[in-house]
Amino acid sequence: MGKSDFLSPKAIANRIKSKGLQKLRWYCQMCQKQCRDENGFKCHCMSKSHQRQLLLASENPQQFMDYFSEEFRNDFLELLRRRFGTKRVHNNIVYNEYISHREHIHMNATQWETLTDFTKWLGREGLCKVDETPKGWYIQYIDRDPETIRRQQEQERKKKQDLDDEEKTAKFIEQQVRRGLEGKELEKPVYTELNRENEEEKVAFNLNKGASTSIAASSKTSSGLGPNALKMVEGAVKRKESAHSSGQSKEKKKKSALDEIMELEEEKKRTARRDYWLQPEIVVKIVTKKLGEKYHRKKAIVKEVIDKYTAVVKMIDSGDKLKLDQTHLETVIPAPGKKVMVLNGGKPWLPTFPPLSMLK
């Protein structure tokens, strides 16, 4: 295997070394060649190809600088547009991503000496919105692509059309409502004289709401009935009224003295309930999870009650003392045969107690 072979160790090492970015001081922009060390850069500067490039650049140096500046600007703006769009971003972030490409145009070959100068130039030319902050310069790309402008105009036109349609619909509904109110005339009552077709027919008035419908129905049918049928209808209406009044009196008499006493006692019990129930020397259970699994759902004994709502408890298992609010505790139902304490409410009527707790 010869020394110049592609798979020789030296060739592989040279390819590994040439990967990625290297020092800018050993890069020749005119020849677009990156050297790995000072010796290589010195040899390159003495080469004939480099000398020819210098002769070409010396004839018109401004042309080469304008060319490199234009390439740098186009690549930078293309990256900003494609990668970040119209978002506001720090200029150093965009620049670091730009120089990560190995074949990029270096800034020292352009007309701008620093990134800040380039950022200010973008703002003066109207290519980007730039603003200075304590953290540095931020840039925002201004998209002037005709296709993008046309798309934005179409979206604005569509929004305006939707708003116009909504306004037209609202105006149409308002006109319909106004037209309906104008065309509607208030119905006025018509007063007529009372004409009696039969002198023997009786005219009856009843102010009871329940029987008004039946009377109206009977008055309507009374024109075609005789006096005997009319008397029968009036008797049925009176019987119905008497049955209704007797049913109401029975409902009123349902409540006895015992029921009233029980209602009073229940009202006293409701008013006697308090919003605190902690008592010393009772067994409680911790229900909060903020203290961890060590204390969750564990039993403790209340040693001291502070301000009616806070208690100092002692854990039955570990003997640790904790200061907890009553919302983080709950009562413990004792086993059959154990002592209990009524913590809240009045004297119960049934053996089902309000919050109970087991005594120590």
Side-chain angles (χ1 to χ4, degrees):
M1 183 179 293
K3 292 183 179 181
S4 61
D5 193 359
F6 180 77
L7 297 177
S8 63
K10 186 175 182 179
I12 295 174
N14 291 335
R15 284 197 300 273
I16 293 174
K17 291 178 183 179
S18 63
K19 284 185 178 180
L21 297 176
Q22 298 185 26
K23 288 187 177 181
L24 180 61
R25 59 183 296 187
W26 297 328
Y27 181 80
C28 178
Q29 184 65 60
M30 292 298 300
C31 305
Q32 297 183 0
K33 180 175 177 59
Q34 176 69 56
C35 301
R36 288 196 295 269
D37 51 16
E38 187 176 359
N39 186 34
F41 185 72
K42 182 179 178 181
C43 294
H44 170 70
C45 292
M46 295 172 62
S47 63
K48 293 181 180 181
S49 60
H50 180 74
Q51 296 296 330
R52 284 195 300 268
Q53 290 292 336
L54 288 181
L55 290 176
L56 291 174
S58 61
E59 294 178 0
N60 194 356
Q62 189 63 35
Q63 181 181 0
F64 282 89
M65 184 175 292
D66 294 343
Y67 171 76
F68 290 134
S69 301
E70 185 179 0
E71 289 292 325
F72 178 82
R73 175 179 61 85
N74 293 337
D75 295 344
F76 189 90
L77 292 178
E78 179 65 21
L79 175 64
L80 179 62
R81 182 188 66 82
R82 186 179 65 253
R83 176 69 174 81
F84 301 98
T86 56
K87 293 191 298 184
R88 181 173 175 268
V89 64
H90 200 282
N91 61 350
N92 203 25
I93 295 176
V94 185
Y95 182 71
N96 288 333
E97 189 164 345
Y98 171 74
I99 64 175
S100 62
H101 189 260
R102 190 166 180 266
E103 302 296 334
H104 69 276
I105 304 295
H106 292 79
M107 184 171 285
N108 59 1
T110 63
Q111 62 183 5
W112 306 287
E113 295 181 359
T114 61
L115 181 61
T116 302
D117 294 340
F118 178 65
T119 304
K120 293 179 180 179
W121 182 85
L122 290 176
R124 287 194 302 268
E125 294 294 326
L127 299 174
C128 295
K129 295 179 181 178
V130 300
D131 58 318
E132 186 179 9
T133 64
K135 295 183 179 180
W137 287 86
Y138 283 82
I139 58 177
Q140 183 178 0
Y141 181 69
I142 300 175
D143 194 354
R144 289 191 172 87
D145 186 22
E147 184 67 22
T148 305
I149 296 174
R150 185 184 62 80
R151 195 182 307 115
Q152 292 176 356
Q153 291 177 353
E154 288 182 358
Q155 291 178 357
E156 292 177 358
R157 194 182 303 111
K158 187 177 180 182
K159 288 181 181 179
K160 186 177 180 181
Q161 185 177 0
D162 294 341
L163 292 176
D164 293 342
D165 293 342
E166 291 178 0
E167 291 178 358
K168 289 179 182 179
T169 306
K171 287 182 180 180
F172 178 74
I173 294 173
E174 186 178 354
Q175 291 176 0
Q176 291 292 99
V177 172
R178 192 184 301 111
R179 191 180 303 167
L181 293 176
E182 290 176 357
K184 185 178 181 182
E185 297 180 357
L186 297 177
E187 296 180 358
K188 296 181 179 180
V190 180
Y191 303 98
T192 58
E193 294 183 359
L194 180 61
N195 297 324
R196 299 178 63 182
E197 298 178 356
N198 189 359
E199 295 294 335
E200 297 180 358
E201 183 180 357
K202 294 181 180 180
V203 179
F205 298 95
N206 194 346
L207 301 179
N208 190 3
K209 184 178 180 181
S212 60
T213 56
S214 61
I215 292 175
S218 63
S219 64
K220 287 181 182 178
T221 56
S222 61
S223 59
L225 298 174
N228 296 330
L230 182 61
K231 290 181 180 178
M232 293 175 63
V233 172
E234 290 178 355
V237 171
K238 290 181 180 179
R239 286 195 298 273
K240 185 176 181 181
E241 290 178 358
S242 61
H244 183 69
S245 60
S246 62
Q248 289 181 349
S249 61
K250 286 182 181 178
E251 289 179 358
K252 291 181 180 178
K253 293 181 181 179
K254 277 184 180 180
K255 290 185 179 180
S256 61
L258 181 60
D259 295 334
E260 294 179 357
I261 293 172
M262 291 178 66
E263 288 181 358
L264 291 175
E265 291 294 332
E266 290 178 358
E267 185 66 24
K268 288 181 181 179
K269 284 196 296 181
R270 286 195 295 269
T271 56
R273 289 188 64 85
R274 305 183 301 271
D275 57 349
Y276 59 90
W277 51 267
L278 290 172
Q279 296 291 336
E281 301 299 328
I282 63 172
V283 179
V284 294
K285 185 182 291 185
I286 300 175
V287 295
T288 180
K289 295 182 179 180
K290 295 181 179 180
L291 301 177
E293 296 295 332
K294 180 180 178 181
Y295 300 108
H296 183 54
R297 308 301 297 177
K298 301 295 183 181
K299 294 182 180 179
I301 300 173
V302 178
K303 291 297 183 182
E304 183 183 356
V305 179
I306 304 171
D307 297 335
K308 299 180 183 180
Y309 299 96
T310 309
V312 177
V313 300
K314 182 179 180 182
M315 303 302 298
I316 296 178
D317 297 339
S318 60
D320 298 340
K321 286 189 176 181
L322 303 173
K323 185 177 180 181
L324 299 171
D325 190 81
Q326 72 171 5
T327 56
H328 298 156
L329 303 171
E330 70 176 7
T331 58
V332 178
I333 300 177
K338 296 287 186 73
K339 293 181 180 180
V340 298
M341 176 185 289
V342 180
L343 300 177
N344 204 351
K347 183 179 179 181
W349 287 86
L350 299 173
T352 56
F353 297 93
L356 303 177
S357 185
M358 185 168 55
L359 289 171
K360 181 181 175 183

